[in-house]
Amino acid sequence: MLQFTALFLGIIIGATSNFTISSVYSPYVAVAILACLDSVLGGYVANLSGKFNLRIFASGLFCNALLAAGLGYMGKILGVDQINIATIVVFGTRIFSNAAILRRVGIEKLEGWWVAKRQARAKVEITPDEEEQI
Amino acid sequence: MRKLKNKFTHAQIAISIICFIVGLVIALQIKSVLFIYKTDPTDSQRLDAMTQNWAAEVARSYQMAEKNRELQDQLEEYQDATAEQSDLSKVMAEQLAKAQIVSGSLPVHGEGIIMTIDDSKQAVDGTNPAAFLIHQEDLLMIVNELKNAGAECLSLNDERLISTSDIRCVGSVVHVNGVPKAAPYVIKAIGSSAGLNSALTMRGGIVDTLSVYGIQVSIEQLADVKIPAYEGRLEFKFAKEDK
């Protein structure tokens, strides 16, 4: 699917380029990545349920990323490095629940597809018999 | 462009772009974390491990120094025992004592001087703040001058200077025989105390050069100066006897 190839492409380009994030920013970038992953999964779920709103998605993405990084920075200033734990727990929880929703929807779709296929095959098997009888 | 828009909804395109960016940032982040872990010397885990290693090595080195002293005492006993036996061994014992004095394995004492130098207490006037501190060059000049004047044994802050001793500036301290020593520096020399003193205090000599920037110098002439033995290892991996 388009999204996975885009992700893959991004990873490859990042791995092979010479650009590195300065070590000062790396803890903040880490939590921002988590926020972005949560936004992506949330957007995907909203898309599936037809309620996707581009503005909400984009604004949510940036706001979450900035908030996560900002919270981390505040924790560093206050000397409470553990504030990152709260960010990680919250976004981790949301990632897991969104992934569970996607998984459920995906499996239901797959089951529906199997059932439809079996029904189609059954219909095809019935009609030749009828023709013979006639 | 419209074909693309018909194939994929807005949502999918937006999410794909974000996925691309996220993939990019994840890869960069992983790269920089790996890089930091490899090169960051202040990584706390490695720092702890290295501090422990260092403490263990320091404790071991103290143990080794003690063992060394015990063995030296034993050795002296054996030497004394053999020296009393015959004339030949008396001569050999004398030669041995001489060699030991030169190699630094015995503490020595005799007439000499004790020179104490300290960093300048004058206010730094901004021209060159480093000139108000003592550097390895100053210490090396003093040692050289004393050797020229006939000093037989030297020590710097109670580190015996032997032929392979080095005096090296490391940051704000000086390493002598690998041991860090800080100002004030006490240089003890055994030789003719008058001769050594005049070598240092002659006009245009070391004391004059150092006093320009106010480096504090004091020289004591004594009838008995004690200089400790060399505490390091004497190991010759490359030098061999040339018979």
Side-chain angles (χ1 to χ4, degrees), chain B residues 23-154:
Chain B
L24 199 73
V25 176
I26 286 182
L28 292 176
Q29 172 75 350
I30 292 180
K31 265 199 342 187
S32 75
V33 166
L34 283 179
F35 182 68
I36 291 175
Y37 191 67
K38 260 189 252 170
T39 65
D40 183 6
T42 64
D43 179 13
S44 57
Q45 275 184 344
R46 282 176 57 197
L47 197 60
D48 287 339
M50 286 177 72
T51 315
Q52 277 186 359
N53 278 349
W54 183 76
E57 290 299 321
V58 165
R60 242 182 54 146
S61 77
Y62 282 144
Q63 280 182 359
M64 294 280 158
E66 262 205 48
K67 195 143 187 273
N68 192 24
R69 277 190 278 269
E70 283 176 22
L71 291 175
Q72 289 277 29
D73 292 336
Q74 270 190 17
L75 196 59
E76 276 183 40
E77 282 180 28
Y78 294 148
Q79 286 173 8
D80 292 337
T82 45
E84 288 164 12
Q85 283 172 14
S86 78
D87 284 334
L88 177 59
S89 34
K90 271 218 191 97
V91 169
M92 289 185 66
E94 269 171 41
Q95 284 211 343
L96 182 60
K98 211 185 200 175
Q100 282 177 329
I101 291 184
V102 168
S103 76
S105 46
L106 287 182
V108 286
H109 71 106
E111 178 193 341
I113 61 156
I114 295 185
M115 178 184 190
T116 311
I117 60 174
D118 201 352
D119 293 330
S120 168
K121 295 257 186 301
Q122 281 179 13
V124 175
D125 72 359
T127 49
N128 183 8
F132 292 87
L133 304 170
I134 299 174
H135 295 285
Q136 73 183 39
E137 297 86 62
D138 307 318
L139 296 170
L140 288 170
M141 273 199 307
I142 295 172
V143 166
N144 198 31
E145 203 64 58
L146 289 169
K147 284 186 190 168
N148 188 343
E152 289 166 7
C153 296
L154 291 152

Side-chain angles (χ1 to χ4, degrees), chain B residues 106-233:
Chain B
L106 287 182
V108 286
H109 71 106
E111 178 193 341
I113 61 156
I114 295 185
M115 178 184 190
T116 311
I117 60 174
D118 201 352
D119 293 330
S120 168
K121 295 257 186 301
Q122 281 179 13
V124 175
D125 72 359
T127 49
N128 183 8
F132 292 87
L133 304 170
I134 299 174
H135 295 285
Q136 73 183 39
E137 297 86 62
D138 307 318
L139 296 170
L140 288 170
M141 273 199 307
I142 295 172
V143 166
N144 198 31
E145 203 64 58
L146 289 169
K147 284 186 190 168
N148 188 343
E152 289 166 7
C153 296
L154 291 152
S155 84
L156 174 55
N157 280 24
D158 284 327
E159 276 296 325
R160 176 74 166 270
L161 298 177
I162 62 170
S163 56
T164 51
S165 288
D166 62 328
I167 300 177
R168 192 166 162 71
C169 213
V170 176
S172 61
V173 296
V174 161
H175 278 214
V176 185
N177 291 336
V179 179
K181 300 282 180 190
Y185 297 106
V186 176
I187 301 168
K188 297 186 191 160
I190 293 184
S192 151
S193 51
L196 297 175
N197 187 38
S198 47
L200 292 173
T201 54
M202 67 183 178
R203 199 144 49 117
I206 298 277
V207 176
D208 282 349
T209 322
L210 291 175
S211 313
V212 169
Y213 281 103
I215 305 268
Q216 302 167 303
V217 178
S218 80
I219 305 180
E220 259 184 280
Q221 301 182 42
L222 297 172
D224 192 63
V225 173
K226 289 202 193 320
I227 290 186
Y230 176 64
E231 302 252 323
R233 277 180 67 184

